[in-house]
Amino acid sequence: MNRSIVGMAVGMALAFAGFLGGFGAFLLVAALGALGWVVGRWFDGGGRVQDLRDAYERSRR
């Protein structure tokens, strides 16, 4: 899929959420979409789940 189709699908999902659920649903869908984008970019960049565990363990010390 190219980025324009993905962008259109995200825009349609946000529009439906705003129309059917109000502004709170719009914000929730936008926030979860942004979180999914960040996780996807992290995995595309070579991120591993082990890296998250190691960072969590370092922050606990």
Side-chain angles (χ1 to χ4, degrees), residues 19 39 49 52 61:
F19 180 71
V39 169
V49 177
L52 292 176
R61 294 182 197 165

Side-chain angles (χ1 to χ4, degrees), residues 1 4 7-8 11 13 15 17 31 34-37 40-42 45 49 51 55-56 59-61:
M1 270 188 165
S4 61
M8 181 184 67
L35 179 64
W37 179 80
R41 292 281 294 189
W42 182 68
V49 177
D51 297 337
Y56 176 73
S59 70
R60 291 185 57 194
R61 294 182 197 165

Side-chain angles (χ1 to χ4, degrees), residues 5-45:
I5 292 176
V6 172
M8 181 184 67
V10 169
M12 289 173 57
L14 289 172
F16 280 121
F19 180 71
L20 298 175
F23 190 67
F26 173 81
L27 290 179
L28 179 64
V29 169
L32 291 176
L35 179 64
W37 179 80
V38 167
V39 169
R41 292 281 294 189
W42 182 68
F43 275 119
D44 283 345

